[in-house]
Amino acid sequence: MKEILRRSITGVIYAVLLLGTVFLSSDAFDFLFMVFGLACLYEFKKIVRLKHYYIFVAYLALWWVFIYLIQDSILITILMLLTITVDLALLVFLFSKKEKHFTGLQKFIIAVFYIGGGCIFLTMIPYKQNDFAKFLIMGIFILIWVNDTFAYLVGRTLGRTKLFPSVSPKKTVEGSLGGLIFALVAAYVLALYETSLTLSQWMILATTIVVAGSLGDLLESKFKRVAGVKDSGAILPGHGGIWDRLDSLVFAAPFAYLILNIFSYVS
């Protein structure tokens, strides 16, 4: 009970911080996710034992260029495709039963595109419609939170079938399906208030975010299991590190950005 209370208090503070920056200003939102990206990189660097600090310089340079300087859609699309390619390659690592040892260069590339690229596209999503779409990005946060919360609750009450026991023993198929169903309900409600997307588009976006986010959660668990650690950090009481909180969002962001691009193209 004490652990649930501690997790709840931390979760509320985290949500208030996140939504507070969304409604405060676009600059506050940008800065927060730049810092979150640095924190995720620091935790990832420790877990995979990536030497030197070049990764932080590379991330900051890439973040600054793509958030403030580059407006060319072709260059943004190239970064998106590179990020998605690295994410898909990491799924091979996730589902492989063979032991995998990454080289220093591979760790650097993974950090730049999986962590860095994910944070960059998460920052870019609300700018898809030129003006800062605060309700759109807030909706994406809500979908992730609803999925995480109800996957946990349904899994605890109804969970019987293990989803991926070798990587995450506590996750169940029933919990994952419960999270998806409630996320779709949340998408229906969001469509009533955020009309920049149609109901069907919200449903597609929710499904994409839930599936990709769940894979991102499992992927981080795989990295931690290989490293023999429980949490990526200890900055958030009851939750672990920043990467523990953002693993779903970081992995899902480029896929959500791709879906929003497709919506813009066909509408």
Side-chain angles (χ1 to χ4, degrees):
M1 185 65 184
K2 185 177 180 181
E3 178 65 19
I4 293 176
L5 180 62
R6 188 170 64 156
R7 283 178 62 88
S8 299
I9 292 173
T10 303
V12 169
I13 295 172
Y14 169 75
V16 169
L17 174 64
L18 217 56
L19 297 181
T21 57
V22 169
F23 287 97
L24 178 62
S25 73
S26 59
D27 287 337
F29 174 81
D30 294 349
F31 179 76
L32 179 66
F33 273 93
M34 181 194 71
V35 173
F36 277 173
L38 289 171
C40 288
L41 281 174
Y42 176 75
E43 292 170 359
F44 176 82
K45 180 180 179 297
K46 283 200 309 178
I47 284 178
V48 301
R49 296 181 177 86
L50 179 61
K51 297 179 180 179
H52 309 299
Y53 291 87
Y54 305 133
I55 185 59
F56 299 112
V57 177
Y59 164 68
L60 288 174
L62 198 65
W63 188 92
W64 185 266
V65 166
F66 276 89
I67 298 301
Y68 289 117
L69 299 181
I70 288 181
Q71 302 295 325
D72 191 325
S73 60
I74 295 177
L75 292 177
I76 293 173
T77 299
I78 290 172
L79 178 63
M80 179 186 69
L81 293 176
L82 286 172
T83 302
I84 289 175
T85 299
V86 170
D87 285 351
L88 293 176
L90 285 173
L91 293 183
V92 177
F93 161 68
L94 171 61
F95 292 108
S96 175
K97 295 181 179 179
K98 296 180 180 179
E99 190 173 347
K100 172 66 177 177
H101 296 284
F102 294 108
T103 66
L105 178 60
Q106 288 173 327
K107 293 175 184 177
F108 182 86
I109 292 172
I110 291 169
V112 168
F113 293 106
Y114 160 51
I115 302 287
C119 289
I120 288 169
F121 283 107
L122 192 54
T123 309
M124 291 173 68
I125 283 174
Y127 296 100
K128 278 295 299 169
Q129 299 164 329
N130 295 323
D131 293 330
F132 185 67
K134 58 184 68 175
F135 289 106
L136 174 61
I137 191 64
M138 184 182 74
I140 289 174
F141 292 151
I142 289 172
L143 291 175
I144 284 286
W145 294 337
V146 168
N147 175 59
D148 288 349
T149 300
F150 284 96
Y152 173 75
L153 293 176
V154 173
R156 282 200 64 172
T157 54
L158 301 175
R160 297 291 183 273
T161 311
K162 298 297 183 182
L163 179 66
F164 202 165
S166 63
V167 170
S168 188
K170 294 183 179 180
K171 287 184 173 57
T172 64
V173 173
E174 293 84 0
S176 297
L177 290 175
L180 174 60
I181 290 169
F182 278 97
L184 291 174
V185 172
Y188 176 82
V189 175
L190 287 167
L192 300 176
Y193 296 95
E194 177 49 72
T195 56
S196 63
L197 298 180
T198 65
L199 174 59
S200 60
Q201 288 175 336
W202 270 112
M203 292 293 182
I204 293 170
L205 182 62
T207 303
T208 301
I209 287 172
V210 168
V211 173
S214 298
L215 289 171
D217 192 0
L218 288 171
L219 179 61
E220 195 226 9
S221 296
K222 178 69 176 279
F223 275 116
K224 291 190 296 185
R225 184 161 289 272
V226 170
V229 298
K230 182 178 182 292
D231 296 316
S232 65
I235 193 171
L236 299 173
H239 291 266
I242 298 296
W243 187 23
D244 287 316
R245 288 304 307 156
L246 291 179
D247 53 2
S248 299
L249 278 168
V250 165
F251 192 85
F255 295 96
Y257 193 86
L258 173 61
I259 290 296
L260 291 170
N261 263 341
I262 293 172
F263 290 163
S264 299
Y265 181 77
V266 299
S267 61

